[in-house]
Amino acid sequence: MCGIVGYLGKGYAQAPLIDGLRRLEYRGYDSAGVAFHEGNEFSLARETGRVKNLADSVQKNSSSSSLGIAHTRWATHGAVTVSNTHPHMSQDGKFVMVHNGVIENYGILKKFLVSKGIKFSSETDSEVLCNLIAYHYSELPTGEDRFIDAVRLALPQSRGAYGIVILCVDYSDTMIGARRGSPLVVGLGEEANFIASDASAFVGRAKEAVFLNDGELSIISGKNFRITTMEGEEAKAVAHPVEQISEEVELGDFDSYMEKEIFEQPTALENTLRGRFGDDGTTAKLGGLEGHEDELRNLDRIIFVACGTARHACMVGEYLIERLARVPVEVEHASEFRYRNSPKAGKSLVIAVSQSGETLDTLEAVREAKTKGLLTLGITNVVGSSLARETDGGVYQRVGPEIGVASTKAFSSQACLCAMLGLALGRMRDLSPTDGQAIVQALNDLPDLVTKVLQQGEQIRELAIKYSKAEHLLFLGRQSLYPVALEGALKLKEISYAHAEGYPAAELKHGPIALINPDCPSVFIVEGSSLSSKTIANMQEVKARKGPVLAIAPDNVEIPEEAVDDIFRLPVVHEVIRPILANLPLQLFAYHFARLRGLDVDKPRNLAKSVTVE
Ligand code: F6R
């Protein structure tokens, strides 16, 4: 992994490929490379660091080729070096390939190839796959289908996940892509066709996008394009327009995508909510759940599977759904669920939540749930993503592309959809129309309330200035604000590299309190319920040990002066939207904290936007 673009067209490949890589930068990477078909050979340019380094180097030796592939790599096998950077060339110089994913049995395959006299110049699993294809090619008779046949012979021998695009020097107008577990999309334009890991790579250059399914190959030959199965049968190609996403990926007046996406949240939430309430104004109506009403009414438990920020949104859902619908809810790390032999108690529903819809751990959890015969639903932001296609039903977040590596608007919309799900399930069970109506009202008020909180951004910037020297911070909250504490800590550590931990506020005294000292601030997210007095008592425990305390608290909660150093006030709202509002100052806190340290919030070190490896 991480970003792939391939170009075959009438014009020069260089500019669209470099531009495509720039558009994929948001996914996170540590090196970048490009290969061009130059008639009898391939030319290759690879650089560690930013795409800009690659662009500068390519500029010096411009290519006039109209066929090429490019890649941004996020290291999995082998260090961040030029030789490990993609594209990889087979030893015989016949093939160049870019690869996202992990070939799990690359060791065995490499041994086999070494026994055939093949030498390797990198530590990567990808170079092994490229050479395996070259090996099969060398064994096949000459003929029109030799290239595709070599690909079809090699891929079934590899275990693990891949999205690859490969070129063969003997085919000057053919580009082949193949997918298993790692997304690939074909872009169809008038002047050129593309194969990329993400449609944003060819926005503005291709009119239609066709998403590949697992086990499919896309063969672009001259102006023609087809999709087949691994066995060679023609597969159906469903085209989606790409124009609609072009404006949404522009940065506009903002300094970073993270900032843009934080401030986009009122609109993003309006879109998440639009048209999703019943006519009587007492329930939520989620189209993707239609046809499953009986199963939903008779559920015995819900299991959420997700990773990272998406899992925190699910935890918010756990508190809300149990409260509103009285259905037992569990939230699992998708990577754990997959390998855990969880008993199939009663009628369980598995809900997978993933902004990208391509997180491999989450997809594998869904596949495991399906193997066990469980009903699966997906909450995802990306239309046509693997999650959307593989679940039995689901709901789109509709917040537009999230480019910043640190997830912000996606969390808010996922938590919002969990509240809507709780409302819908609650109304199918015992939630009264009056309670339903109050929740609908609260959800409808959410976008304006988000605007109001974001307008206080300057106060958060000042707080970030005050606390930005800290290297260790604790985030503490109770009930549905506990996941908000986890999310606040995650956001801070991933973009500022300060060490931050989230805990339920009462857990403090069971261990973490040992960390408290004047250099370790605690951020308390205070609920507006009867529990707030307990949280204030926890704040006092911190103050008694000379720990600085910052509270995020509703307007109506009185906090004694001696319990707190700083307070950021939130409007008093219904409990279903409280976690979403309470999370906003923490997003801004992390953002300013990282910016004050001079860090690039959109490209935090070591992180990738879409994690398509286990
Ligand atoms: C954190 C973050 C990650 C993702 C996680 C799951 O800011 O972005 O923790 O939430 O990798 O990604 P999706 O939602 O695409 O499955």
Side-chain angles (χ1 to χ4, degrees), residues 349-368:
L349 162 68
V350 170
I351 306 180
V353 180
S354 168
Q355 186 284 129
S356 62
E358 300 295 350
T359 299
L360 191 65
D361 286 326
T362 309
L363 291 173
E364 290 295 354
V366 168
R367 289 166 193 156
E368 175 60 18

Side-chain angles (χ1 to χ4, degrees), residues 307-310 353-357 359 405-407 414 490-491 494 611:
C307 305
T309 290
V353 180
S354 168
Q355 186 284 129
S356 62
T359 299
V405 166
S407 188
Q414 287 161 351
L490 176 65
K491 214 76 324 170
E494 68 182 330
V611 185

Side-chain angles (χ1 to χ4, degrees), residues 37 121 170 207 249 268 333 422 445-446 583:
H37 193 295
S121 55
D170 299 332
K207 284 216 155 97
V249 298
H333 290 274
D445 290 343
L446 182 60
N583 189 49

Side-chain angles (χ1 to χ4, degrees), residues 407-556:
S407 188
T408 52
K409 62 179 179 176
F411 171 88
S412 297
S413 80
Q414 287 161 351
C416 177
L417 285 171
C418 285
M420 294 173 87
L421 191 62
L423 169 62
L425 293 175
R427 291 289 293 125
M428 286 178 187
R429 294 162 173 248
D430 353 282
L431 194 74
S432 72
T434 327
D435 288 342
Q437 204 169 28
I439 294 167
V440 171
Q441 180 66 51
L443 288 165
N444 276 324
D445 290 343
L446 182 60
D448 286 346
L449 289 162
V450 169
T451 305
K452 207 169 148 190
V453 174
L454 292 176
Q455 278 165 354
Q456 300 172 67
E458 184 49 29
Q459 193 197 335
I460 287 291
R461 199 178 72 84
E462 280 160 20
L463 290 167
I465 294 173
K466 177 166 174 188
Y467 290 99
S468 66
K469 298 279 176 299
E471 283 306 332
H472 302 275
L473 294 95
L474 295 178
F475 286 74
L476 302 129
R478 283 168 190 264
Q479 300 288 296
S480 64
L481 299 183
Y482 161 48
V484 173
L486 290 176
E487 177 58 10
L490 176 65
K491 214 76 324 170
L492 189 72
K493 71 183 130 193
E494 68 182 330
I495 58 168
S496 78
Y497 318 143
H499 171 230
E501 297 293 339
Y503 284 100
E507 272 295 301
L508 186 69
K509 55 190 176 297
H510 298 292
I513 199 161
L515 296 172
I516 299 298
N517 67 31
D519 298 324
C520 176
S522 298
V523 181
F524 280 87
I525 305 110
V526 185
E527 52 297 307
S529 69
S530 55
L531 285 177
S532 53
S533 58
K534 297 189 190 297
T535 306
I536 292 168
N538 299 136
M539 289 159 61
Q540 271 157 335
E541 286 157 16
V542 172
K543 285 296 292 174
R545 286 156 184 87
K546 302 202 169 15
V549 170
L550 162 61
I552 311 290
D555 274 331
N556 62 346

